[in-house]
Amino acid sequence: MRCVWWTLAAGALLCLPGGAGLDNGLARTPPMGWLHWERFMCETDCGKNPSGCISEQLFMQMADMMVSNGWLKAGYRYLCIDDCWLATQRDENNRLQADPTRFPGGIKKLADYVHARGLLLGIYQDVGKATCAGYPGSQGFYELDAQTFADWGIDLLKFDGCNYGTLELLEDGYRRMSIALNRTGRNILYSCEWPLYARRLTKINYTEVAEYCNSWRNFDDIEDSWTSLKYVIDFTASLQGELVAAAGPGGWNDPDMLVIGNFGLSWDQEVTQMALWSIMAAPLLMSNDLRDINPRSKALLQDQEVIAINQDPLGVQGYRLLKVI
Ligand SMILES: *[C@@H]1O[C@H](CO)[C@@H](O)[C@H](O)[C@H]1NC(C)=O
Ligand SMILES: *[C@@H]1O[C@H](CO)[C@@H](O)[C@H](O)[C@H]1NC(C)=O
């Protein structure tokens, strides 16, 4: 519960439900940026698809676009790598390493490139033995991997939940990685998928999730279609009693990526996603191709009045008041 002195008219003390998020100083408003998954998925064939494969070149080009085309200025600061960046094996000291052909310079060099442009770099790992696409996971290596990310200059970790084993290992893994990230001393925003996986097995304690995570996914991956968007919106509304109360500065419900600027949504549907994600105080992580995006979608994603609602420092998540049909 957080209380705000409301000075309009007579003045009243207004108390709002709202979680206290992870106390690491990060994500005081919903994080904004770009994440490769929905648009580029696990394309690893750079021979066949040189401009769309998961490679350092893709991220360097997106970094350039984020700066030159107004995205950073509009608030989109985190450039995030998703699954399929890893080599198939850890190195001889058990440290994670990027795929050597697709990331020949390594992640540290990419982070330097991104930081030199005023952006922040996000990376992906998994709480289980393997990532969802089958690359080496963090289970058994939480402290080492957190330190590796800190050494490379990583600013955000998306921590997936495939291949976790038991519920106890899943929940313990999410807690341990949070503590490990904290102990590195580096500011690393921690984006969890804990409730999405744990919901199948137990009731979620959102107070606890918010103590460990800066944001958390509750529902399946979004796809580039209205059907998918509608699932996410309806799911969020059906659980809003729990979800709205959990959100607040430092910790946010994550309904997954903005798919605006791709192929599957009409203009009205794009407007709907931007409006609802802003009202829901959702992380604004676009997944699209910034090298090739139509001007209308770009203007929508950069609309400062809508973004201001999403970035309201009070951090109250809006909810559905009425369902007509
Ligand atoms: C680690 O946790 C402490 C206590 O919650 C917090 O004050 C500090 O800012 C955190 N540090 C980092 C680097 O996250
Ligand atoms: C939920 O987690 C909080 C914080 O860790 C704890 O204080 C509370 O007892 C938990 N609630 C339940 C029902 O387990």
Side-chain angles (χ1 to χ4, degrees):
M1 197 77 104
R2 286 160 305 136
C3 299
V4 195
W5 189 243
W6 214 252
T7 47
L8 275 176
L13 193 63
L14 177 71
C15 292
L16 300 155
L22 173 61
D23 173 30
N24 60 359
L26 302 173
R28 303 310 296 172
T29 60
M32 294 175 65
W34 185 92
L35 175 62
H36 94 240
W37 189 254
E38 197 288 321
R39 179 67 187 248
F40 295 95
M41 307 211 79
C42 192
E43 175 60 88
T44 53
D45 190 343
C46 294
K48 221 167 66 188
N49 190 356
S51 69
C53 69
I54 308 312
S55 67
E56 63 184 25
Q57 185 189 307
L58 180 73
F59 293 97
M60 288 159 80
Q61 290 178 354
M62 290 307 160
D64 293 346
M65 291 295 132
M66 282 174 83
V67 176
S68 62
N69 288 350
W71 299 101
L72 174 59
K73 204 160 156 252
Y76 296 92
R77 186 127 194 250
Y78 286 94
L79 174 65
C80 302
I81 306 170
D82 208 290
D83 204 350
C84 303
W85 64 272
L86 281 159
T88 53
Q89 304 286 332
R90 290 173 179 269
D91 74 7
E92 63 280 8
N93 300 314
N94 277 330
R95 301 242 305 182
L96 292 170
Q97 50 187 350
D99 181 281
T101 51
R102 291 180 287 117
F103 293 85
I107 302 296
K108 169 91 177 66
K109 203 167 149 218
L110 180 58
D112 292 345
Y113 186 92
V114 163
H115 292 154
R117 282 152 187 78
L119 298 162
L120 299 169
L121 186 65
I123 208 160
Y124 167 102
Q125 242 304 7
D126 188 288
V127 73
K129 282 197 183 324
T131 71
C132 296
Y135 293 89
S138 281
Q139 201 171 88
F141 299 100
Y142 299 124
E143 289 73 21
L144 179 61
D145 291 354
Q147 193 55 54
T148 303
F149 295 145
D151 293 346
W152 286 344
I154 292 296
D155 306 293
L156 176 153
L157 172 64
K158 172 178 175 178
F159 211 41
D160 211 337
C162 283
N163 307 306
Y164 54 82
T166 64
L167 175 64
E168 198 187 346
L169 285 172
L170 173 81
E171 298 198 307
D172 194 48
Y174 273 106
R175 293 184 195 105
R176 278 184 59 184
M177 186 50 109
S178 181
I179 294 164
L181 290 171
N182 180 281
R183 292 209 174 131
T184 68
R186 184 174 174 84
N187 287 328
I188 302 178
L189 196 153
Y190 186 38
S191 161
C192 298
E193 304 206 26
W194 176 354
L196 162 58
Y197 290 90
R199 180 179 309 287
R200 300 164 188 171
L201 305 161
T202 187
K203 186 166 163 44
I204 308 297
N205 182 343
Y206 278 100
T207 309
E208 192 191 11
V209 171
E211 280 172 8
Y212 286 99
C213 303
N214 290 121
S215 67
W216 49 85
R217 287 273 306 283
N218 298 297
F219 194 59
D220 300 335
D221 284 4
I222 202 162
E223 290 166 17
D224 185 17
S225 74
W226 175 247
T227 310
S228 171
L229 223 73
K230 199 166 170 318
Y231 273 131
V232 178
I233 294 164
D234 287 342
F235 178 85
T236 304
S238 73
L239 275 184
Q240 63 185 11
E242 283 173 72
L243 301 186
V244 169
W252 310 99
N253 290 295
D254 179 6
D256 211 6
M257 296 158 273
L258 293 168
V259 294
I260 296 163
N262 292 321
F263 316 104
L265 301 184
S266 70
W267 170 244
D268 287 342
Q269 292 163 351
E270 291 197 333
V271 170
T272 302
Q273 187 179 33
M274 191 67 191
L276 289 183
W277 262 235
S278 293
I279 290 168
M280 292 190 296
L284 300 181
L285 295 171
M286 312 176 275
S287 194
N288 48 22
D289 191 343
L290 301 177
R291 299 165 301 188
D292 177 21
I293 181 166
N294 72 77
R296 191 163 71 161
S297 299
K298 180 181 166 205
L300 174 64
L301 285 161
Q302 295 190 357
D303 189 310
Q304 288 303 298
E305 291 185 4
V306 185
I307 289 173
I309 290 170
N310 176 264
Q311 294 292 303
D312 186 321
L314 198 53
V316 178
Q317 176 174 342
Y319 55 91
R320 185 165 74 189
L321 277 172
L322 186 68
K323 191 176 182 212
V324 178
I325 39 167

